[in-house]
Amino acid sequence: MRKMENESQILHRDGILSEICLLIKFNIPFVYINGPPNSGKSYCMDHAVNKVGCNQKIVAVDMRDVIKIQGFFHSVLTQLACNHIPDHISDFIGIINDIISEEKTFCIVIKHAQMLNELNSMLFASLTVINQLTNGKVTVTMVSDTPWDLIYHSNGSTLTPPVTVYIPPYTRCQIVEIVALCLLEEHNNLCTQLDVGLDELQKYVRTCVYDSLTLYTSSIREMMSTASCLLPKYLEPIQDGVLKKSENIKLFHRIQQDLVTTMSELSCVPHLNKANLELPYNMRVLLVCAFLASHNPARLDKRFFCKGKSSRRKTKTRAGSKLSEVLKGPKTFPLDRLLAIHASVTQSGCIPCSDVMSAISTLVSLNLIARVSVDLLEQPKFKCLATLTAVKNLAKESSIDFQQFYYNY
């Protein structure tokens, strides 16, 4: 199943995969690959490494496995057959220069690169120019969920600009096709016995699995696991001759309760439902501000966040209008509005510093804030995913009068 899973996902990333392979092959000094979670970045990178690695030395590091800066040095240097682990960045660059005097050009591939920036921004900045520090013999390719503009601003706008590759999210049709192909491969004997083809499997995935789980997860692996577990039960009435394969609604009712259970147990969003989130102070404040920006109507910002009272006469609000705001769920907001609310709540009254931009980047990577704008030329837009209970607790811990700023309180 894993082999089929990889191949089917790459079917919709052929152009991007070819582009990444060419960038590594032709030794582009610094490449930054980004896209939303579950968009196939790791699959593309793994295939590119396997494809290009036959002719070029590639050193791969996953920052989820790195806790300290020395762990990064160890991960890189052990793959280059070097047992000496330095303590400082300058020593690390020196060892790399000693190694490349004997080795051919190689590429360092860093997955989840936003975590490297959070671990040590100086090392991150040094790696962006490592090609210059090694006379053009070492290149770097970074893979991250965080857009480059957020990384750039979090480092004080001093980083060397990379060649960027954006990987868009999978579309509904692509996810349905990927999952259906994997099901056909894994349950080939059962599908052949019941004369269930790819079209019937796509209809099952689309109506029963995707439409039910898409509000809870965008992970293809989660959907694939759920679809695979429930498929035998879904096809059981067809196998017994009780129902026909065209009776989708009745077949769906067979697995409806299992889907409800799956929705409550999905592993991808446990932290969104936690009442207590453990975050640094600046991230707590920023998340509270993001919640306010996502739930308060923009037309009322002057009333809630301006120091002086608005001259506009207050009107009586009907109970139904407040209720409708709650039911609408979180709305998108531009970055400028978030920063303005942050400046008002913290009473800083100054332009955003690098710490604020770094906190935004981290919250996006934690899926507490989602970036919803795709075009990198447009102003970034976000949506807050945290719950009201969690945000109220964060506001209390941060000494923020949440009742003063929240419209629906």
Side-chain angles (χ1 to χ4, degrees), residues 34 44 88 95 103 112 127 133 201 216 277 311 381 407:
N34 85 282
C44 287
H88 305 290
I95 293 174
E103 296 282 343
H112 300 92
L127 290 172
L133 300 175
L201 288 176
Y216 298 86
L277 297 174
S311 59
K381 292 183 180 180
Y407 173 62

Side-chain angles (χ1 to χ4, degrees), residues 173-216:
C173 293
Q174 289 173 344
I175 293 176
V176 168
E177 183 182 354
I178 289 170
V179 177
L181 283 170
C182 292
L183 291 177
L184 187 61
E185 175 76 9
E186 185 179 6
H187 300 276
N188 184 54
N189 293 335
L190 180 61
C191 292
T192 303
Q193 178 187 347
L194 300 178
D195 193 26
V196 174
L198 185 61
D199 290 341
E200 285 81 12
L201 288 176
Q202 286 184 349
K203 187 177 293 185
Y204 156 69
V205 173
R206 181 170 52 251
T207 58
C208 298
V209 180
Y210 181 89
D211 291 345
S212 299
L213 302 184
T214 186
L215 293 176
Y216 298 86

Side-chain angles (χ1 to χ4, degrees), residues 74-106:
H74 177 270
S75 183
V76 172
L77 294 176
T78 52
Q79 294 181 61
L80 297 173
C82 176
N83 296 322
H84 176 63
I85 308 302
D87 293 323
H88 305 290
I89 299 173
S90 57
D91 296 333
F92 171 72
I93 300 296
I95 293 174
I96 292 292
N97 275 310
D98 292 338
I99 293 173
I100 60 176
S101 61
E102 304 173 359
E103 296 282 343
K104 57 184 179 180
T105 302
F106 67 90

Side-chain angles (χ1 to χ4, degrees), residues 43 125 201 377:
Y43 285 111
L201 288 176
L377 297 178

Side-chain angles (χ1 to χ4, degrees), residues 175-317:
I175 293 176
V176 168
E177 183 182 354
I178 289 170
V179 177
L181 283 170
C182 292
L183 291 177
L184 187 61
E185 175 76 9
E186 185 179 6
H187 300 276
N188 184 54
N189 293 335
L190 180 61
C191 292
T192 303
Q193 178 187 347
L194 300 178
D195 193 26
V196 174
L198 185 61
D199 290 341
E200 285 81 12
L201 288 176
Q202 286 184 349
K203 187 177 293 185
Y204 156 69
V205 173
R206 181 170 52 251
T207 58
C208 298
V209 180
Y210 181 89
D211 291 345
S212 299
L213 302 184
T214 186
L215 293 176
Y216 298 86
T217 179
S218 60
S219 170
I220 295 179
R221 185 169 298 180
E222 294 276 6
M223 294 188 184
M224 199 177 300
S225 176
T226 301
S228 180
C229 290
L230 298 182
L231 183 61
K233 187 173 182 178
Y234 178 84
L235 297 178
E236 186 178 335
I238 302 176
Q239 193 172 17
D240 296 339
V242 178
L243 296 174
K244 299 179 181 179
K245 60 183 180 181
S246 58
E247 298 180 274
N248 299 96
I249 296 178
K250 293 181 179 179
L251 291 170
F252 172 73
H253 288 158
R254 292 271 304 174
I255 62 172
Q256 188 172 12
Q257 187 56 46
D258 296 278
L259 282 171
V260 173
T261 303
T262 301
M263 292 174 196
S264 63
E265 297 178 351
L266 280 176
S267 62
C268 60
V269 288
H271 58 280
L272 300 184
N273 297 321
K274 287 177 64 176
N276 298 302
L277 297 174
E278 298 179 1
L279 298 170
Y281 173 78
N282 61 332
M283 292 187 195
R284 294 202 303 264
V285 175
L286 197 64
L287 187 58
V288 172
C289 295
F291 184 89
L292 295 172
S294 206
H295 289 267
N296 282 12
R299 57 186 171 80
L300 298 179
D301 282 354
K302 188 175 181 181
R303 179 198 300 181
F304 287 105
F305 303 111
C306 287
K307 291 184 179 180
K309 292 185 178 179
S310 173
S311 59
R312 185 176 176 180
R313 185 170 59 90
K314 293 184 179 180
T315 58
K316 188 175 181 180
T317 306

